[in-house]
């Protein structure tokens, strides 16, 4: 029996969806505890491609319960669209396999409008958000002006509260010279969505504890990554939630003492979308991966920035997430290279750093210290057993584990569910 957390060790897009999907087999309940529909998980199963934003990827498995926890900010309009798309692909979704925490906060159309207006105001200092209203929704939550999912079951209260909030946020939008959110049309739209989603809304903390007491295994599906965490990431170029392991507990009501295992997921190289420091960024690697048709975002379609594997980031991520296991994905992305670099430390104004500095400005100034490895120059995509990997690929992975201070338990060599090697 084990309750496990899967977290990203980089800037998101580590391939967590695939690892979660793989681990779901031994789990009964899959929980999302932070973030919103800024996340995009791509899962390829049975030759079909599914893109998930808010719904845990456990939904693709029959008999698994999926929970959107209280730490999530949930966009009702986005969620009904996602449900409709998945149903169109033959996935069964009903209140027996998808539950929404009644204390999860709602992302409303005015949050999306505010997100765009704030980004426009930031000019060349923009964060490069997904434009999904995530930051403003969390800001409302913390400011104590948010609306929670329980209101989806109380349409009259919801309509009244919405009218008040739209009025208030329209004042800000007007001051910013942005388009206003139409009041009656928005209320009608949200009430329609509320009628569809209300049967899914419940006290999920109580339900999760019941599941645990019945001996069921929970899997917490992390969204984004450690360096997008509001506290531990490259602030202010971060998202607005705690994407690290602790967020799984506060975002679900499952206490730390009931967590048994933390798996950190990292690509065999590094990527990020949006603005912010990226010490190992490398144009040649970006071009190579984009030319292979890789590294375009699932949510926004944006080309991701790419670079060498940065062990300063992974070392710190292993530490603050309490990860004793690493899953390395996309190893096959490096198949064509003669020489591969691993960043083992940074230098900043003459000082060697083993962990990332606190400010984005200092991180921009950091210079990577690289060690060079020989590439394996071989297509890995058809390997079915870890022991059959070329020795140079295994040497690369061994060195990564050593530098991270964690063992590698899974290795991804392609997008399909079957292309995951157990170490
Ligand atoms: P927001 O979460 O939309 O506010 O965006 C804040 C930052 O997080 C931006 O740099 C986004 O590109 C990044 N971000 C948000 N969600 C994801 C994700 O799922 N994968 C990768 N980056 C993300």
């Amino acid at each position: 029996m084990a309750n496990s957390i899967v977290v990203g060790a980089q800037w998101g897009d580590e391939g967590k969806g695939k690892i979660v999907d793989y681990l779901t087999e031994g789990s009964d309940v899959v929980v999302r505890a932070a973030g919103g529909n800024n996340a995009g998980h791509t899962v390829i199963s049975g030759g079909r491609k599914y893109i998930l934003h808010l719904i845990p990827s456990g939904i693709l498995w029959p008999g698994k319960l999926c929970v959107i926890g209280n730490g999530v900010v949930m966009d009702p309009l986005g969620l009904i669209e996602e449900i409709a798309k998945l149903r169109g692909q033959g996935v069964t979704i009903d209140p027996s396999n998808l539950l929404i925490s009644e204390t999860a906060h709602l992302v409303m159309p005015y949050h999306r409008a505010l997100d765009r207006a704030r980004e426009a105001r930031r000019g060349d200092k923009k964060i490069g958000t997904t434009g999904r209203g995530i930051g403003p929704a969390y800001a409302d939550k913390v400011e104590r002006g948010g609306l929670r999912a329980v209101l989806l079951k109380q349409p009259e209260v919801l309509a009244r509260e919405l009218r008040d909030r739209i009025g208030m946020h329209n004042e800000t939008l007007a001051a910013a010279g942005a388009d206003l959110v139409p009041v009656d049309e928005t209320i009608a739209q949200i009430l329609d969505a509320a009628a569809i989603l209300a049967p899914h809304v419940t006290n999920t903390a109580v339900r999760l504890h019941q599941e645990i007491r019945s001996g069921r295994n929970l899997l917490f599906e992390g969204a984004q990554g450690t360096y997008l965490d509001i506290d531990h990431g490259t602030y202010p170029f971060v998202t607005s939630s705690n994407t690290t392991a602790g967020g799984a507990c506060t975002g679900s009501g499952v206490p730390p003492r009931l967590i048994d295992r933390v798996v950190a997921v990292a690509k065999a190289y590094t990527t990020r979308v949006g603005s912010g420091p990226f010490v190992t960024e490398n144009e040649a690697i970006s071009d190579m991966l984009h030319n292979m048709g890789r590294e375009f975002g699932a949510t926004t379609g944006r080309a991701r920035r790419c670079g060498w594997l940065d062990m300063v980031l992974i070392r710190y991520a292993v530490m603050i997430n309490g990860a004793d296991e690493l899953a390395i994905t996309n190893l096959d992305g490096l198949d064509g290279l003669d020489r591969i670099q691993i960043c083992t430390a940074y230098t900043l104004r003459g000082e060697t750093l083993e962990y990332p500095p606190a400010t984005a400005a200092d991180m921009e100034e950091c210079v990577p210290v690289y060690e060079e490895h020989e590439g394996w120059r071989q297509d890995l995509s058809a390997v079915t057993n870890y022991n059959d990997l070329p020795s140079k690929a295994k040497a690369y992975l061994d060195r990564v584990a050593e530098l991270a201070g964690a063992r590698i338990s899974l290795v991804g060599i392609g997008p399909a569910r079957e292309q995951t090697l157990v170490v």
Side-chain angles (χ1 to χ4, degrees), residues 113-194:
L114 289 166
D115 196 353
R116 285 192 297 269
R118 283 178 192 164
E119 278 285 86
R121 173 107 194 358
R122 288 184 188 114
D124 60 6
K125 290 201 174 69
K126 73 176 183 342
I127 292 165
T129 72
T130 59
R132 298 289 191 276
I134 305 301
Y138 277 113
D140 263 1
K141 169 181 174 173
V142 174
E143 195 269 341
R144 294 155 297 184
L147 305 177
R148 309 203 289 186
V150 65
L151 294 183
L152 299 176
K153 300 201 285 192
Q154 301 170 22
E156 282 169 27
V157 184
L158 178 58
R160 197 172 60 232
E161 296 289 336
L162 260 178
R163 191 171 294 280
D164 170 68
R165 299 305 192 286
I166 298 171
M168 183 175 78
H169 288 303
N170 271 346
E171 288 172 20
T172 312
L173 289 168
D179 290 342
L180 303 190
V181 172
V183 182
D184 293 321
E185 195 185 315
T186 302
I187 294 174
Q189 237 182 350
I190 299 298
L191 290 186
D192 283 350

Side-chain angles (χ1 to χ4, degrees), residues 11-13 38-40 127-131 134-135 224 228 238-239 273-274 302:
W11 279 292
D13 307 318
N38 49 349
I127 292 165
T129 72
T130 59
I134 305 301
Q224 288 88 40
L228 290 172
V238 291
T239 190
V273 282
R302 289 183 287 184

Side-chain angles (χ1 to χ4, degrees), residues 68-105:
I68 296 178
N70 58 275
V72 171
V73 288
M74 190 272 280
D75 179 338
L77 303 178
L79 184 56
I80 54 174
E81 199 182 309
E82 189 174 335
I83 290 174
K85 253 194 206 145
L86 289 169
R87 281 190 180 142
Q89 291 186 286
V91 179
T92 303
I93 303 176
D94 58 39
S96 74
N97 70 346
L98 179 67
L99 295 177
I100 302 165
S101 165
E102 54 193 9
T103 55
H105 277 251

Side-chain angles (χ1 to χ4, degrees), residues 263-282:
V263 182
V265 185
K267 273 182 184 148
Y269 46 92
T270 312
T271 65
R272 95 171 283 176
V273 282
S275 325
F278 184 168
V279 178
T280 62
E281 186 165 20
N282 183 292

